[in-house]
Structure formats: C-alpha cells, structure tokens
Amino acid sequence: MASLSMSAARAGWTPKQNKLFEQALAVHDTDTPDRWHNVARAVGGGKSADDVRRYYELLVLDVARIEAGNVPFPVYRAPCPGPNHNTAGGRGTASLAGYETDRLKHLKI
C-alpha cells in the first residue's frame, strides 16, 4: 500500500526537509541534469539521490491513489456552535447538514 509506504518514508524526514524537497522539485524539473543529486543536495541531512528519488516515486503513487478516488474523504467535525446555539437565532443540529452542504459547495471536484 503506497500510503503506508509514504507514511513510513516520511518518518525519516523532518518538516524542514520536506519543505526543502518541495522547493527543490520546483527548481529542478525533469529536464535538469543530475536532478536527484541536486534535489538531495538541497534537502541535506544525509539524503542521497536514491533517497529523494524513492521519496518522489512514493509521492507520485500517493497522488495517483488520491486522484483515482482510493483515499477516503476525511471526516471533519462541524464547528462548535456559538453560546446561543439552543436559542431561536442559534444553530442547532439542523445546522450540521447546512454546514456539510456549505463545505461541499466550495470543493472543486
């Protein structure tokens, strides 16, 4: 399963290295000679060209799974109602459906 692999791979990467990886990919595109060596050098932390290439391949697999609809949509809790949620002007349980409808209309699917 690619997500498990990506999760396991991310365990060895700091948030800073992850950000540096993203930035390096933006700079060193597929046409860049020695792309993975350049990305590894930008990431630092002892990451080799093979390390960053494998990390990229796992990322590509994760994106493909997401785009194929194989990753479930996360379930978010509705925001807490205000202090007057039980009053006539407040938001009650019916507002949860309204919240979901409002949240879904902003998705670009």
Side-chain angles (χ1 to χ4, degrees):
M1 183 190 270
S3 285
L4 271 177
S5 299
M6 192 62 186
S7 294
R10 282 194 177 141
W13 289 63
T14 66
K16 182 178 179 179
Q17 286 173 322
N18 219 8
K19 189 65 174 173
L20 291 169
F21 174 74
E22 293 171 6
Q23 291 170 341
L25 286 178
V27 172
H28 304 290
D29 64 10
T30 55
D31 296 330
T32 302
D34 297 323
R35 178 186 195 193
W36 301 121
H37 291 284
N38 290 325
V39 172
R41 191 175 313 118
V43 170
K47 301 293 183 197
S48 70
D50 285 338
D51 292 336
V52 295
R53 182 187 46 77
R54 280 192 301 269
Y55 196 65
Y56 177 80
E57 289 169 356
L58 289 172
L59 180 62
V60 168
L61 289 173
D62 268 2
V63 170
R65 288 185 64 238
I66 292 167
E67 289 177 345
N70 295 329
V71 177
F73 192 81
V75 177
Y76 298 104
R77 291 186 345 208
C80 262
N84 61 349
H85 70 281
N86 288 327
T87 63
R91 295 167 45 154
T93 56
S95 68
L96 180 58
Y99 168 75
E100 288 297 315
T101 302
D102 187 54
R103 187 172 63 90
L104 291 173
K105 81 177 180 184
H106 295 291
L107 290 176
K108 293 182 176 37
I109 299 177

